[in-house]
Amino acid sequence: MLKTYDEVLKVTNDLVNIESIVNTEGEIDISTTLAKTIANLPYFQKHSDYVFTSQTVDDEIERYNVFAFVRGTKESSAKTVVLMGHTDTVGIDDYNSLKEKACFPNNLQEALKNEKLPPLVKEHLESNEWLFGRGTLDMKSGVASNFYLLKYYSEHPEELKGNIVFFAECDEEDSSHGVLSGLNDLKQLRDEYGFEYEALINSDFVAPRYEGDENRYIYKGSVGKLLPSFYITGAESHVGSSFEGLDPNYIAAELTRQIAYNPELCDKSLGETPMPPVTLKQTDFKETYTVQTALASYVYYNFFVQSWSPKDVLDKLKNQAEIAFNNVVENLNNHYKRYCEISEQEYTKLPWETRVLFYEELEQSIISQAGESYKEHMKKFKENLLANKELDVRMFSARVVEETWKWAKDKSPAIILFYSSLYSPRVEVTGKNQKEKNLLIALDYAIEKVQPHYNKPIVQRNYFPYICDMSCVAINDDEDSIQSVINNNPSWGTKHFVDYKAIRDINIPAINIGPYGYDAHNRYERTELKYTMEIMPNLTKLVIDKLLGS
């Protein structure tokens, strides 16, 4: 076991002290500082071209990834392991009056002692076995561990058979511009130096899965994430004649009741079950108060996948939307029938019928009727819409669907299903090829060697349960599934684009060995010192050495 504790802790504190909130200039600051620190190491003073920063591409702001690599001298080998971690963090507003201390662990911990804290937080704070502060867990301590290993191998290249690449990426917390841009650099390194990527070890945080869970998890892959979105059109009416129209908010409410928290939409795979979908936004498009019902509503949901493809999800959600729409028609008729009874009016069945369309279906039907005039109009519309910097990709997509709907000849109420954001592919390492088998063997070996030095169980699981950039270095979906994402994303090629071919080209087996702690994205964010500063880097080193035959 290497004595890593003090150095990894020092680097962690140095990185945490830099406020690198995503989408701020702090992302530049931390990348610049990290690159300079690496460049000042003796090995990189001799090999200055082995460390560099690389600006993200197709990005709306300036920020950079940091790359560095060590070429082993024990024996010439093309085998290469990538160590990846992100340098950005979420914001610090949740610290309230302690915002100025959020990035200074010692000061923060002293200040927290004066607050009334939840029992477990108080216990951890008083034990001096945990490090508090923004980024201590998610995930600057992971980057610090990777830095330690980079420095170690740069001082001992004679121990290294093969190569390691250090990759500190920006923008993990928003749109993954960092890792997606970094694919180009990984490819360039591969082509220029002949690197053969055996595995990627990510260092994102791990946490208890349930109350009382003492396991420290290593994940062999990650869940995928989709953002299925629904543009819902109704038939407007005056509130004094409400049954003459169909309120799209009523449809949206039933759609959410049908989809949100629905365990039937959990993609259980390899014995593990992700969280069900949940609503992330639900709104209509009325800008001011009127006594007219809304013309359209918009709702989107988080959706985790482990084995289902994006096409599978579209099919399943179209079925759920049809169920919801059927329920709306039935319930509304029942309400109207009862209203007619108590108001002594004659009941006539309402005219509404279930109608659910994929965005691709809607657009193709319009193209078949309007042809080039529609295409030219939408091209100009999207170009003009890009000028509105306040629109994120999700609202941009909704506005595109709204404009597309104007061209539809059939304006009867409908639910339009589409994707409005990044698809993060599902990743799994099951031993389906030799590289995966080698990685699993190396992981088993590392845990066996380290477990006697730690009193909590180190346990393997298949899917990292949160979103992480492992999803952007490997892909299991076939071309048809990816095409379904492209065809059903209204912002594709304008506000949004992902080079899935680049992911398929790199396609590195990926695992996550990360810091352990609690309350990531929370004012009590903290990491356990012994596991994070000592156990984690040693586990990672043993996996590297076993994989490369060092």
Side-chain angles (χ1 to χ4, degrees):
M1 292 276 288
L2 293 176
K3 294 181 179 180
T4 63
Y5 188 102
D6 291 338
E7 189 166 348
V8 176
L9 177 57
K10 179 185 181 304
V11 176
T12 297
N13 275 301
D14 290 344
L15 294 176
V16 170
N17 290 164
I18 303 171
E19 186 181 297
S20 56
I21 297 170
V22 67
N23 297 326
T24 70
E25 290 187 0
E27 287 196 86
I28 299 177
D29 294 340
I30 196 167
S31 297
T32 302
T33 301
L34 188 54
K36 286 181 179 178
T37 303
I38 295 171
N40 286 330
L41 297 175
Y43 179 86
F44 294 100
Q45 289 178 349
K46 293 180 181 179
H47 303 283
S48 59
D49 53 335
Y50 286 11
V51 56
F52 60 93
T53 59
S54 178
Q55 187 172 354
T56 54
V57 296
D58 298 322
D59 200 348
E60 295 178 349
I61 66 172
E62 178 185 354
R63 50 189 159 197
Y64 298 86
N65 294 318
V66 180
F67 286 90
F69 58 93
V70 174
R71 305 181 75 180
T73 59
K74 182 176 182 179
E75 184 179 325
S76 178
S77 173
K79 289 184 175 181
T80 304
V81 174
V82 180
L83 302 179
M84 186 173 77
H86 69 84
T87 53
D88 61 317
T89 72
V90 295
I92 57 174
D93 288 344
D94 54 327
Y95 285 89
N96 301 316
S97 62
L98 301 183
K99 279 177 62 175
E100 300 302 317
K101 297 179 173 64
C103 298
F104 297 91
N106 290 338
N107 295 340
L108 176 64
Q109 288 172 210
E110 283 301 314
L112 287 173
K113 290 177 182 178
N114 298 319
E115 292 192 357
K116 184 177 181 179
L117 303 171
L120 185 61
V121 176
K122 187 173 187 294
E123 177 187 330
H124 286 172
L125 185 66
E126 293 175 349
S127 72
N128 294 319
E129 296 175 358
W130 298 77
L131 187 71
F132 285 69
R134 177 60 77 235
T136 54
L137 176 62
D138 186 15
M139 57 170 284
K140 291 179 177 179
S141 53
V143 176
S145 173
N146 291 345
F147 173 86
Y148 174 91
L149 294 171
L150 177 75
K151 179 174 180 288
Y152 178 86
Y153 285 116
S154 75
E155 294 169 347
H156 304 281
E158 75 283 354
E159 294 183 13
L160 183 63
K161 180 180 176 182
N163 319 283
I164 61 165
V165 173
F166 172 92
F167 176 18
E169 91 268 27
C170 56
D171 184 35
E172 190 268 356
E173 297 290 1
D174 187 356
S175 299
S176 296
H177 281 104
V179 65
L180 291 172
S181 298
L183 295 175
N184 297 324
D185 299 287
L186 290 174
K187 182 179 180 181
Q188 185 175 337
L189 291 174
R190 181 190 67 187
D191 296 344
E192 182 175 351
Y193 295 97
F195 291 163
E196 294 178 4
Y197 296 125
E198 297 297 308
L200 181 143
I201 303 175
N202 194 41
S203 50
D204 215 332
F205 79 94
V206 299
R209 295 181 53 244
Y210 50 86
E211 187 175 352
D213 182 10
E214 294 192 336
N215 295 326
R216 276 51 172 166
Y217 294 105
I218 294 174
Y219 292 95
K220 302 173 290 186
S222 178
V223 295
K225 180 186 182 298
L226 289 155
L227 196 76
S229 307
F230 299 81
Y231 181 85
I232 304 164
T233 69
E236 67 274 22
S237 65
H238 190 282
V239 294
S241 307
S242 56
F243 284 110
E244 292 180 4
L246 179 54
D247 181 6
N249 287 325
Y250 187 64
I251 304 174
E254 181 62 25
L255 187 68
T256 292
R257 193 187 72 83
Q258 185 65 33
I259 291 176
Y261 301 105
N262 186 346
E264 298 303 315
L265 296 174
C266 293
D267 178 15
K268 184 174 183 179
S269 177
L270 301 178
E272 297 176 17
T273 306
M275 286 288 108
V278 67
T279 315
L280 292 178
K281 187 178 184 68
Q282 186 163 320
T283 187
D284 62 35
F285 290 102
K286 289 181 68 173
E287 296 182 358
T288 59
Y289 172 81
T290 69
V291 291
Q292 182 189 55
T293 57
L295 295 173
S297 295
Y298 181 39
V299 57
Y300 54 72
Y301 308 90
N302 182 79
F303 202 109
F304 289 131
V305 290
Q306 294 182 168
S307 65
W308 295 341
S309 72
K311 188 176 184 302
D312 293 333
V313 173
L314 286 174
D315 291 339
K316 291 176 185 295
L317 288 180
K318 187 174 187 181
N319 179 60
Q320 294 296 321
E322 288 171 346
I323 293 171
F325 212 134
N326 287 336
N327 291 342
V328 164
V329 173
E330 181 180 356
N331 292 338
L332 196 58
N333 272 287
N334 289 338
H335 289 324
Y336 183 49
K337 187 175 183 179
R338 178 57 182 152
Y339 174 79
C340 289
E341 289 175 358
I342 63 176
S343 61
E344 299 180 351
Q345 297 181 27
E346 183 179 351
Y347 166 73
T348 303
K349 186 178 180 181
L350 297 172
W352 317 122
E353 295 182 356
T354 294
R355 188 172 177 224
V356 181
L357 301 169
F358 295 136
Y359 173 73
E360 181 181 13
E361 292 178 312
L362 172 64
E363 186 168 58
Q364 287 304 314
S365 69
I366 294 171
I367 290 173
S368 67
Q369 298 165 1
E372 290 302 317
S373 60
Y374 165 78
K375 292 182 180 180
E376 291 174 7
H377 172 82
M378 291 306 297
K379 181 180 178 182
K380 291 178 182 177
F381 176 82
K382 292 178 183 180
E383 289 172 354
N384 292 333
L385 200 60
L386 283 171
N388 185 349
K389 300 301 182 183
E390 294 183 1
L391 286 182
D392 66 11
V393 67
R394 293 153 285 273
M395 287 307 298
F396 181 97
S397 298
R399 292 302 182 187
V400 172
V401 178
E402 181 181 45
E403 188 69 16
T404 300
W405 178 253
K406 294 177 182 178
W407 287 69
K409 288 189 174 181
D410 183 355
K411 292 293 197 303
S412 58
I415 298 176
I416 314 300
L417 169 57
F418 57 100
Y419 290 127
S420 68
S421 188
L422 171 71
Y423 166 46
S424 299
R426 55 202 170 87
V427 179
E428 58 187 21
V429 176
T430 57
K432 54 184 173 288
N433 56 46
Q434 193 59 50
K435 284 187 177 181
E436 289 192 3
K437 290 176 183 176
N438 293 341
L439 180 54
L440 294 176
I441 290 170
L443 180 56
D444 289 341
Y445 166 81
I447 294 173
E448 181 183 355
K449 291 294 184 182
V450 171
Q451 185 65 83
H453 300 274
Y454 187 63
N455 63 353
K456 304 293 184 184
I458 302 171
V459 176
Q460 299 181 45
R461 285 183 66 83
N462 292 297
Y463 299 103
F464 185 74
Y466 317 111
I467 305 307
C468 79
D469 280 346
M470 278 197 296
S471 288
C472 297
V473 300
I475 194 165
N476 295 316
D477 296 297
D478 60 24
E479 294 293 345
D480 287 344
S481 293
I482 295 301
Q483 197 61 45
S484 72
V485 173
I486 295 171
N487 294 346
N488 287 286
N489 189 320
S491 65
W492 188 266
T494 50
K495 186 77 170 179
H496 177 67
F497 174 77
V498 176
D499 190 351
Y500 288 108
K501 290 182 179 178
I503 299 177
R504 199 179 300 281
D505 182 37
I506 289 291
N507 221 35
I508 313 173
I511 62 173
N512 189 83
I513 302 176
Y516 172 83
Y518 285 76
D519 294 328
H521 296 202
N522 181 303
R523 73 195 306 266
Y524 301 130
E525 177 178 348
R526 61 199 183 278
T527 191
E528 186 208 330
L529 289 167
K530 180 173 176 59
Y531 184 85
T532 300
M533 310 303 162
E534 181 180 329
I535 299 302
M536 175 180 62
N538 275 283
L539 279 167
T540 304
K541 183 180 186 298
L542 286 167
V543 172
I544 294 170
D545 291 345
K546 184 69 173 178
L547 268 176
L548 300 183
S550 299

